[in-house]
Amino acid sequence: MVNVSTKADSSKTSNAKAGSNTKGKRVFLFKDAYDHFKADRNLMKEMLGGKGAGLAEMTATGVNVPPGMTLLTSLCRDYYDNNQKFPANLFEEIKTELKQIENKLNKTLGDTAKPLLLSIRSGAKFSMPGMMDTILNLGLNDKTVESLAKLTNNPRFAWDSYRRFIQMYSNVVLDLSKDKFEDIIENKKHKLDISLDTELTIENLKELVSEFKQFVKTERHIDFPQNTDDQLLGAVEAVFKSWNNSRAVYYRNLNKIDHNLGTAVNIQAMVFGNFDNNSATGVCFTRNPSNGEKALYGEYLVNAQGEDVVAGTRTPKKISEMAKEMPTVYKELESTALRLEKHYKDMQDIEFTIERGELFLLQTRTGKRTAAAAVKVAVDMTNEKIISETECLTRVEPTQLNQLLLPSFEAENKQKAKKEGRLLATGLNASPGAAIGQIVFDPDQSEKLSSQGRKVILVRVETCPDDIHGIVPAQGVVTMRGGMTSHAAVVARGMGKPCVAGCEAFKVDLDKAQVVVAGKTLKQGDTISIDGSTGEIFLGAIATHDPELSSEFQILLKWADKVRKLRVRTNADTPEDAKLAREFGAEGIGLCRTEHMFMNQDRLPAMQEMIMANSADERKTALTKLLPMQKEDFIGIFKAMKGLPVTIRLLDPPLHEFLPKHDELVEEIATMKAKNIKGAELRQKETLLQKVRELKEANPMMGLRGCRLGLVYPEINKMQVRAIFEAAIAVKKEKIEVLPEIMIPLVGHVNELKVARAELEAVAQEVMQEAKTTIDYKFGTMIEIPRACVTANEIAKHAEFFSFGTNDLTQMTFGYSRDDAEGKFLQRYLEGVDCNGKNEKILTNNPFEVLDQEGVGKLMKIAVEYGLQTRPDLKLGICGEHGGEPSSIIFAHHLGLAYVSCSPYRVPLARLAAAQAMCIAEEKDK
């Protein structure tokens, strides 16, 4: 198995402990499993997997669950640790437990008189919908199919089940393409001039079984297995193998799930939704997973099996229709759903089968939901007294809040598009949100074009788990078939992507890479807009508008603010960003990057004039042009913050970043000479090239930048400090409180800060004396060099605050150049490198995205401890990109920082993550 530790980092320890507690028992009947593991629900999920734990718990609470057994997740690990060999004596243990199921049901696997049929399903600790394999109707062969037909007096049902089993088993165990079997079915229907599977007669189904078996023999040179023990052994091993199939590995990488957890295997007696027209199969949520509304939400199919619903091969009925079609069963489903929700204290995702009017539950698990639904469900359940406010705060993933801050289509623009005839079709509103992009039909193309910066919409007949690498980078998904609980819908909702499913008006032809709809033929590259909230699909792009946040969103953050200790500031360089961040709840600016103010085209010439200056006087002349520009920027920011602290970082990047690139200048000069262009224009370019060469450095990130630049060219930082204080005084005159914090960057030695502060504080005093007023201010530094961390006790003598610049601190600590690392080797470190034939991951997370607590974090801890020893009132914060990453925010809380700072759109995320950090700390203290 791939060696990675991400989610559930404690899994190895607790699993080992659990292994000793099971006293060698590796296979548990549902009825026994709950009693064995009920003391620790987390452990139960680790050992039985989420599905097995749910089946055990439902059985124990009296829910009607078909009997079965679960093989522990540790067996999957054993399988891989033993070079993919089936664990010794495991099959005998399975047969022993199976005997109890056979006795209870008075049926026997492989028996020609009363055959028992089984489903074999995967089930990991963390839900991985559709990523691993399932086999239904196991136990059918040429003899038992006849017995089943006779016992049920329904030969069509028996032969339909047999052809499904051959198709599924051949795909999962024998590795034959399921599409080949679908082709055989389609060819048969074409010859018979029928369109629906249900129109196939008994004889047609028997012919399909023969054709399926012949296909297996042709492709694999073996007869389709008739021995039911062989079938069972092959199916269990196939589920173990599916743990490491490509889509499962991709999904775990995407969701940071530990590759070492392994999957359980659930062996369960079959119940049949395809028995007759009084039978059905379906999936439902106890609340709406798109918007959180408290009502059953889902779909069902009459006379069908579960795979028909999730695979999207037939478009199912809405669950509300069952109230009329099967009223008694619907009432039972409603009451069972309510009981499960109260038991688990969360919204549930339920799979069920109705066999001849009797309701059976096959699975319950915590339902995946959109961000909007997550917030509403958590708040509503709190108001319903099902969970506490503290539990509510932990029910929403902080990163989900970002989805709620994304734009949607403006109603007026949608209406205009409709009048223009641009509404192409309306499908099922499977996952809310707005997306605009170019059509692609192939998941590989989606991945490729998205990596080039293109925005795409993945259009498919239906999606399957193998398409996930194309769904992830796409802006949204459209499917021609499938329902609200199809693969595309579930995956898109989990990722917060818009999805329109079951849009049958979209006639998708994958071979021709086109879709015909509303009399139009659309090709790859054509732009469409999809509204996942309404199911509408439009031709071309539609303008969007900013989101309207729900009352539940505001309530959740209000509760978070009551709990959290860590303050949340924002990284903002313009008044517009500052105002937006305030609206999202920012409590100040933790990083204002002054270099961004010089990048505007109207200011760049003055900045370049300053850089090209040959003397201090020439630089000062150029800087007098920049001073009023900087002052106006700071006035706008101070006004937007209205008395909240504003940390302003003085110029940080090397000067060459404000000049044209070296190679571009060389090429431009060569072209001018080739065209015989001479005179002042050419001399100007050559002078510019000479300056670029003078400023060129072997390693500019560690060269003349930050405080070094300010010490060598002090007039630059002096101009900035004058602009800050003149702006602060101007705003103060308008009766608005101002709290500037001047941050001197890239300090590695105490003397750098000592000298720089002395020079700059003199300017601040001079400006205040000129205006005959005072401003409450602080001087501090950005801690981004390892040496600054280990000498923080000295640096704190001259700093009133430390702000950790974790981006550069990570670069310096690892010795990575971020641009080079991410472009050349970092992805390989994350995916894994070959080590004696095994894939070994070097890093669990990208350290530029998730704070490296073991390395960078230890340096931060040293800096905090040393800094507080010297200055007990030292203000501590973090302003790197990690300030908006949930696990890094939790670390900042534990480290005792006063605040984190992040981009405006991540402020709500940080507020919730800071509250969760407090909840975690309080739980540990209990």
Side-chain angles (χ1 to χ4, degrees):
M1 292 165 70
V2 186
N3 184 22
V4 167
S5 181
T6 51
K7 243 184 198 178
D9 288 332
S10 63
S11 61
K12 288 184 180 177
T13 304
S14 55
N15 278 329
K17 181 179 178 182
S20 63
N21 288 342
T22 59
K23 296 180 181 178
K25 191 170 178 62
R26 303 181 292 178
V27 181
F28 285 85
L29 293 174
F30 298 159
K31 68 182 184 67
D32 300 330
Y34 181 72
D35 286 339
H36 190 92
F37 292 103
K38 64 183 178 182
D40 187 340
R41 185 175 282 177
N42 187 57
L43 181 62
M44 187 192 309
K45 286 185 70 175
E46 284 186 15
M47 299 304 292
L48 301 175
K51 186 172 294 183
L55 290 165
E57 200 159 352
M58 282 196 297
T59 300
T61 56
V63 174
N64 195 17
V65 175
M69 70 184 87
T70 300
L71 282 58
L72 300 182
T73 55
S74 55
L75 289 165
C76 181
R77 295 193 293 276
D78 291 344
Y79 175 77
Y80 282 98
D81 290 343
N82 198 28
N83 295 316
Q84 298 189 40
K85 291 180 181 177
F86 205 76
N89 302 317
L90 174 59
F91 195 68
E92 288 74 13
E93 291 180 43
I94 294 171
K95 292 288 286 184
T96 298
E97 301 299 336
L98 183 62
K99 194 69 182 172
Q100 292 194 53
I101 298 171
E102 291 173 332
N103 291 339
K104 179 176 181 178
L105 299 175
N106 194 24
K107 296 178 182 178
T108 304
L109 183 67
D111 185 50
T112 54
K114 295 181 178 179
L116 173 66
L117 302 188
L118 301 170
S119 66
I120 318 296
R121 289 182 167 96
S122 60
K125 177 181 180 181
F126 297 102
S127 177
M128 296 170 54
M131 296 302 112
M132 292 180 285
D133 291 325
T134 293
I135 295 173
L136 305 179
N137 306 319
L138 187 140
L140 283 174
N141 57 29
D142 293 348
K143 293 180 179 179
T144 56
V145 68
E146 297 285 3
S147 303
L148 186 64
K150 193 179 297 183
L151 281 167
T152 60
N153 195 29
N154 192 341
R156 192 192 183 285
F157 152 71
W159 285 96
D160 181 50
S161 298
Y162 192 22
R163 70 92 183 164
R164 290 169 182 270
F165 171 57
I166 295 173
Q167 181 175 355
M168 193 174 284
Y169 190 93
S170 299
N171 172 235
V172 173
V173 181
L174 305 180
D175 197 27
L176 290 171
S177 170
K178 60 187 175 186
D179 293 336
K180 298 294 184 183
F181 290 94
E182 287 295 333
D183 290 344
I184 294 171
I185 295 172
E186 290 302 315
N187 289 337
K188 174 69 69 177
K189 290 193 293 187
H190 181 72
K191 287 179 183 177
L192 296 169
D193 193 26
I194 60 176
S195 57
L196 301 175
D197 291 359
T198 51
E199 295 177 273
L200 293 165
T201 66
I202 298 167
E203 288 306 314
N204 297 153
L205 291 167
K206 287 181 177 180
E207 290 166 4
L208 278 177
V209 166
S210 296
E211 290 177 41
F212 280 6
K213 287 173 16 183
Q214 184 56 50
F215 176 68
V216 170
K217 190 162 188 174
T218 300
E219 293 295 316
R220 291 291 176 262
H221 310 292
I222 59 169
D223 290 323
F224 184 81
Q226 296 294 305
N227 183 290
T228 54
D229 279 358
D230 290 343
Q231 291 176 1
L232 181 56
L233 183 64
V236 171
E237 185 169 12
V239 172
F240 284 154
K241 286 182 177 178
S242 72
W243 173 253
N244 266 351
N245 68 38
S246 58
R247 64 179 184 267
V249 171
Y250 182 93
Y251 187 88
R252 292 198 296 274
N253 285 336
L254 181 68
N255 292 282
K256 296 183 173 62
I257 296 173
D258 187 352
H259 292 281
N260 292 307
L261 288 172
T263 181
V265 181
N266 297 290
I267 302 172
Q268 189 173 21
M270 283 290 300
V271 285
F272 298 97
N274 62 330
F275 193 92
D276 56 22
N277 286 331
N278 198 29
S279 303
T281 187
V283 176
C284 76
F285 295 81
T286 54
R287 304 190 187 216
N288 189 312
S290 290
N291 60 29
E293 180 187 350
K294 189 177 182 180
L296 281 186
Y297 175 98
E299 298 163 324
Y300 72 106
L301 279 170
V302 173
N303 203 351
Q305 288 199 322
E307 290 300 301
D308 296 328
V309 178
V310 296
T313 52
R314 288 168 58 186
T315 300
K317 300 177 181 180
K318 290 185 177 180
I319 201 77
S320 56
E321 294 180 40
M322 188 190 286
K324 296 178 181 178
E325 192 170 15
M326 298 178 172
T328 303
V329 176
Y330 182 77
K331 285 182 181 178
E332 185 183 355
L333 180 61
E334 271 191 320
S335 62
T336 302
L338 185 63
R339 179 157 49 130
L340 288 172
E341 190 173 85
K342 287 184 176 178
H343 178 80
Y344 287 102
K345 296 186 176 183
D346 205 350
M347 184 186 94
Q348 294 297 291
D349 172 1
I350 299 168
E351 290 181 21
F352 64 90
T353 290
I354 302 163
E355 183 181 299
R356 291 184 283 189
E358 184 177 1
L359 176 67
F360 294 89
L361 263 63
L362 308 181
Q363 173 172 291
T364 189
R365 60 187 173 191
T366 300
K368 290 189 177 296
R369 63 206 80 175
T370 65
V375 172
K376 181 169 175 56
V377 168
V379 172
D380 284 353
M381 282 191 162
T382 305
N383 292 331
E384 293 164 23
K385 308 299 182 185
I386 295 174
I387 60 175
S388 66
E389 283 188 17
T390 299
E391 287 175 304
C392 173
L393 293 173
T394 61
R395 287 294 174 84
V396 180
E397 286 283 342
T399 51
Q400 285 185 303
L401 297 187
N402 283 351
Q403 297 173 24
L404 302 180
L405 307 177
L406 299 175
S408 57
F409 295 131
E410 292 191 20
E412 289 182 7
N413 291 320
K414 278 178 62 176
Q415 199 58 39
K416 181 182 177 185
K418 288 177 182 178
K419 288 181 180 178
E420 294 169 349
R422 290 166 53 198
L423 177 61
L424 296 172
T426 301
L428 299 173
N429 52 332
S431 182
I436 304 167
Q438 296 176 331
I439 293 174
V440 294
F441 297 95
D442 181 74
D444 294 337
Q445 279 293 102
S446 173
E447 186 177 44
K448 178 182 176 182
L449 295 176
S450 296
S451 69
Q452 297 170 1
R454 305 257 291 275
K455 293 186 176 181
V456 303
I457 305 287
L458 180 63
V459 176
R460 302 286 282 165
V461 175
E462 62 202 32
T463 66
C464 68
D466 290 332
D467 296 335
I468 189 167
H469 64 290
I471 295 174
V472 170
Q475 301 299 303
V477 182
V478 175
T479 66
M480 188 174 84
R481 295 205 295 252
M484 309 289 273
T485 54
S486 63
H487 174 266
V490 172
V491 171
R493 275 198 300 270
M495 295 179 181
K497 289 183 184 295
C499 174
V500 176
C503 188
E504 296 180 356
F506 250 48
K507 303 302 179 186
V508 179
D509 189 326
L510 297 179
D511 292 331
K512 293 182 180 179
Q514 67 179 35
V515 57
V516 177
V517 58
K520 299 179 177 67
T521 299
L522 306 181
K523 299 281 190 179
Q524 179 162 308
D526 288 339
T527 297
I528 59 173
S529 300
I530 70 171
D531 189 336
S533 302
T534 62
E536 294 170 314
I537 304 172
F538 295 87
L539 181 64
I542 295 179
T544 60
H545 72 91
D546 291 333
E548 296 177 4
L549 301 177
S550 69
S551 59
E552 289 86 3
F553 180 91
Q554 304 292 0
I555 290 169
L556 180 74
L557 290 180
K558 183 180 177 182
W559 290 344
D561 291 343
K562 282 198 308 185
V563 170
R564 66 185 171 90
K565 182 179 177 183
L566 200 62
R567 301 295 93 193
V568 178
R569 297 192 189 183
T570 189
N571 299 341
D573 312 322
T574 66
E576 293 75 22
D577 282 349
K579 183 175 181 294
L580 179 65
R582 278 296 306 271
E583 291 172 1
F584 286 147
E587 297 160 303
I589 291 179
L591 176 63
C592 176
R593 292 156 289 207
T594 54
E595 62 270 12
H596 288 185
M597 300 171 177
F598 298 130
M599 295 293 189
N600 292 342
Q601 289 305 307
D602 60 333
R603 302 177 181 195
L604 198 55
M607 187 65 179
Q608 290 177 347
E609 181 185 337
M610 185 274 293
I611 295 169
M612 296 296 293
N614 293 315
S615 68
D617 288 340
E618 288 183 10
R619 270 192 297 278
K620 288 177 183 176
T621 300
L623 287 168
T624 56
K625 298 178 183 178
L626 290 171
L627 175 62
M629 300 177 187
Q630 284 257 279
K631 179 180 174 180
E632 284 305 308
D633 288 331
F634 294 135
I635 287 174
I637 288 171
F638 289 146
K639 284 183 177 180
M641 280 293 107
K642 295 179 181 176
L644 293 175
V646 177
T647 303
I648 301 166
R649 183 179 71 184
L650 301 179
L651 192 65
D652 182 46
L655 293 178
H656 73 82
E657 288 194 8
F658 298 95
L659 299 177
K661 295 187 182 301
H662 175 272
D663 291 348
E664 291 175 1
L665 274 174
V666 170
E667 185 177 342
E668 194 175 350
I669 290 170
T671 301
M672 291 173 72
K673 288 180 176 178
K675 292 181 178 180
N676 203 30
I677 298 173
K678 299 177 180 178
E681 187 179 357
L682 178 62
R683 286 195 300 275
Q684 184 182 14
K685 292 291 182 182
E686 288 176 332
T687 302
L688 189 58
L689 177 61
Q690 182 181 347
K691 177 59 72 172
V692 168
R693 283 172 172 161
E694 286 176 13
L695 294 174
K696 189 175 181 180
E697 296 175 296
N699 190 344
M701 292 306 294
M702 299 179 76
L704 184 59
R705 53 171 287 226
C707 68
R708 304 158 195 168
L709 183 64
L711 290 168
V712 174
Y713 302 116
E715 53 273 11
I716 298 175
N717 284 170
K718 286 181 178 180
M719 177 278 291
Q720 291 191 291
V721 170
R722 174 167 283 277
I724 291 168
F725 278 84
E726 286 185 2
I729 291 166
V731 173
K732 185 181 178 182
K733 286 178 180 178
E734 296 183 29
K735 309 298 183 184
I736 299 173
E737 188 181 2
V738 185
L739 297 172
E741 299 177 345
I742 296 90
M743 183 157 65
I744 299 170
L746 214 71
V747 167
H749 194 285
V750 62
N751 288 341
E752 291 175 317
L753 181 60
K754 179 182 177 181
V755 172
R757 177 172 179 174
E759 282 193 324
L760 299 176
E761 198 157 21
V763 175
Q765 292 295 332
E766 180 181 302
V767 175
M768 289 187 288
Q769 286 170 11
E770 289 170 359
K772 295 183 173 54
T773 188
T774 59
I775 295 292
D776 186 8
Y777 68 90
K778 283 182 170 63
F779 270 93
T781 185
M782 183 178 273
I783 301 293
E784 49 194 328
I785 294 177
R787 191 181 189 280
C789 294
V790 297
T791 60
N793 53 327
E794 294 294 321
I795 291 174
K797 292 176 183 177
H798 305 281
E800 294 167 283
F801 66 87
F802 285 173
S803 181
F804 289 98
T806 52
N807 299 347
D808 274 359
L809 186 57
T810 297
Q811 288 198 100
M812 300 279 192
T813 303
F814 273 91
Y816 293 168
S817 162
R818 178 171 185 172
D819 292 340
D820 292 328
E822 291 188 327
K824 291 185 170 63
F825 65 85
L826 192 53
Q827 193 58 36
R828 284 291 306 279
Y829 274 25
L830 296 168
E831 292 173 354
V833 298
D834 181 71
C835 177
N836 298 324
K838 289 186 178 181
N839 188 59
E840 295 284 353
K841 291 200 173 188
I842 306 299
L843 295 174
T844 299
N845 298 302
N846 183 335
F848 296 107
E849 295 175 359
V850 179
L851 186 69
D852 165 44
Q853 297 180 22
E854 296 175 351
V856 175
K858 285 182 180 176
L859 286 171
M860 293 172 66
K861 186 176 181 182
I862 291 169
V864 168
E865 291 176 355
Y866 282 12
L868 291 174
Q869 286 174 13
T870 299
R871 190 185 291 268
D873 62 347
L874 184 71
K875 184 181 285 189
L876 299 161
I878 179 174
C879 64
E881 288 181 26
H882 302 98
E885 194 281 316
S887 68
S888 307
I889 292 170
I890 292 171
F891 176 77
H893 171 89
H894 294 318
L895 198 59
L897 303 190
Y899 68 87
V900 295
S901 188
C902 55
S903 66
Y905 280 101
R906 294 177 79 84
V907 167
L909 175 161
R911 289 165 67 189
L912 180 58
Q916 291 181 352
M918 197 70 189
C919 293
I920 292 169
E922 289 175 352
E923 188 64 30
K924 284 183 178 180
D925 291 340
K926 288 181 181 179

